[in-house]
């Protein structure tokens, strides 16, 4: 929680402004595609947004700030994402609902000579249950590492750091 | 609701990335103007954001996914928007409140040879009543078709697809 | 509240579109940095986002629309922001929580010959208390004036106009 020593997540943006903006536009386009895929229930396409040798993790901010990377969800390699996606698309483990992502505050913080770069964005995952209001199911930040394969931007690593401490048990679905 | 066959709303982005980004910037500017106009109660200017021969519709996501385009609100042609705007600006049919739009996840999905293009964005409509908290009144997506008249980007079609299933009866006001 | 005469806050965008978009990208980058700084509790860096001779104010929309600029918070000059930041970082006056800003709908509305320009954006400040859900603590708009010092964009004035009428008494923390 907010205290004198919770700044471990703050990474200043160190790129030249014009370069950071150009990369940000690509990340925004990527995230809009990624979220549209998830929000329309096309989870079987989820692994296509990652490189083969990838990491996907969902962690509470409290743990992340303490550098305890133990996460609620951890997957390594596209094959593991694929298994997960197939399992989810074949199972209806939760009450029907609509998901809607709102992503903002995208920042590209650094770029390596090999073209890999680090980005960050804030997100809200809104949920609407049948005959219910729309609520904030989860809010937090993406901490990403992107690489290129050909023209295509892909995730090498996505760390989902969530603020919301009470999480319903349906977190099997990717964020 | 989320099931095996709810992907009808997912439209992959098919434009070259650079072109999609350039058009997205224009759409973001357009939507920021559009929402500022609505949020400040300048509804009499609402028809100025559409071409003469336009369609405006508000539909529940449930209906849209079943390809049932019957909507809560339907207007065809700028004259009909104008009548609606005048009626709203002259009538106080609802309790005083503040509206605030949050628009994100803008995507330009396709462009025709004649310059018309399709775009999408997620929105939240926040409302604040007197001495009350700010709540999510409605969340959903815009599905738009844009055209140009001179330098000016204008809506040929705006489909507002909302997730939120309980809608207060004050939906006379545009989104 | 929403009535016939609440349009005083609406400022049409008067810049050429391409120029407005270019400046908007810089403002979006600035705001992403600003909010990341606040959300990670790095408040001691808050004054670095302003010029020496600056104004920072937090005002209810109701007052702003009536041109009553009396605010909840008012600070003039970077020294005053600095004092405030130091006081906040040394005092734990409120229950532990996470802050997360969502900023959208950024508009650059005008630019002066000397390079100073006016911008606007909508924001939500989300808060998550220990073992609680994430809620909308405050929603509203930034009304800003930006200047450049060297390559660096800085705030000459930030007016935070909030819709949310019930504000908890912890508003000592900047928005």
């Amino acid at each position: 929680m907010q205290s004198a020593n919770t700044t471990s997540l703050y990474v200043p943006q160190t790129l030249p402004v014009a370069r950071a903006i150009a990369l940000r536009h690509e990340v925004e386009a990527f995230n809009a595609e990624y979220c549209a895929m998830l929000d329309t229930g096309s989870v079987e396409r989820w692994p296509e947004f990652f490189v083969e040798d990838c990491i996907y993790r969902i962690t509470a901010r409290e743990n992340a700030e303490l550098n305890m990377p133990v996460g609620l969800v951890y997957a390594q390699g596209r094959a593991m994402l694929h298994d997960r996606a197939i399992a989810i698309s074949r199972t209806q483990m939760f009450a029907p609902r609509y998901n809607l992502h709102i992503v903002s505050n995208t920042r590209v913080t650094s770029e390596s000579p090999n073209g890999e770069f680090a980005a960050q964005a804030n997100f809200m995952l809104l949920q609407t249950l049948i005959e219910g209001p729309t609520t904030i199911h989860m809010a937090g930040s993406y901490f990403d590492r992107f690489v290129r394969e050909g023209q295509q931007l892909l995730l090498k690593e996505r760390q989902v750091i969530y603020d919301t401490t009470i999480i319903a048990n349906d977190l099997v679905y990717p964020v």
Side-chain angles (χ1 to χ4, degrees), chain A residues 9-143:
Chain A
L9 290 179
Y10 184 64
V11 184
Q13 189 267 308
T14 55
L15 282 174
V17 171
R19 181 63 180 159
I21 286 174
L23 291 176
R24 170 160 61 87
H25 294 156
E26 290 191 75
V27 173
E28 288 175 340
F30 179 95
N31 281 334
E33 287 303 304
Y34 179 96
C35 294
M37 173 272 298
L38 289 180
D39 292 346
T40 54
S42 315
V43 68
E44 72 282 355
R45 296 193 54 215
W46 180 49
E48 297 172 19
F49 291 79
F50 292 81
V51 291
E52 187 63 42
D53 176 24
C54 62
I55 287 173
Y56 177 79
R57 197 199 308 260
I58 307 181
T59 312
R61 181 159 158 185
E62 199 164 4
N63 288 336
E65 287 183 343
L66 296 170
N67 284 316
M68 294 167 64
V70 180
L72 199 56
V73 171
Y74 180 81
Q76 188 166 15
R78 194 154 52 183
M80 208 160 149
L81 300 189
H82 182 73
D83 289 351
R84 193 174 181 91
I86 294 295
I88 291 165
S89 66
R90 291 193 183 153
T91 323
Q92 186 71 21
M93 295 160 72
F94 37 77
R97 78 211 45 210
Y98 291 131
N99 288 324
L100 193 77
H101 284 77
I102 302 286
V103 176
S104 74
N105 297 46
T106 306
R107 306 165 65 213
V108 175
T109 48
S110 67
E111 187 180 22
S112 301
N114 68 356
E116 189 177 317
F117 63 90
Q120 191 179 326
N122 292 346
F123 73 88
M124 302 172 71
L125 173 52
L126 304 178
Q127 281 198 343
T128 308
L129 277 87
I130 288 182
E131 289 174 25
T134 296
T135 58
I136 303 172
H137 183 64
M138 196 195 262
S141 302
Y142 292 134
F143 287 83

Side-chain angles (χ1 to χ4, degrees), chain A residues 147-174:
Chain A
V147 293
R148 268 174 230 281
E149 288 190 354
Q151 298 291 323
Q152 190 67 46
L153 214 59
L154 292 172
L155 283 166
K156 189 177 170 68
E157 182 175 317
R158 168 151 286 183
Q159 304 254 12
V160 181
I161 311 286
Y162 62 94
D163 288 14
T164 317
T165 42
I166 291 177
I167 298 293
N169 56 4
D170 56 12
L171 194 62
V172 291
Y173 204 81

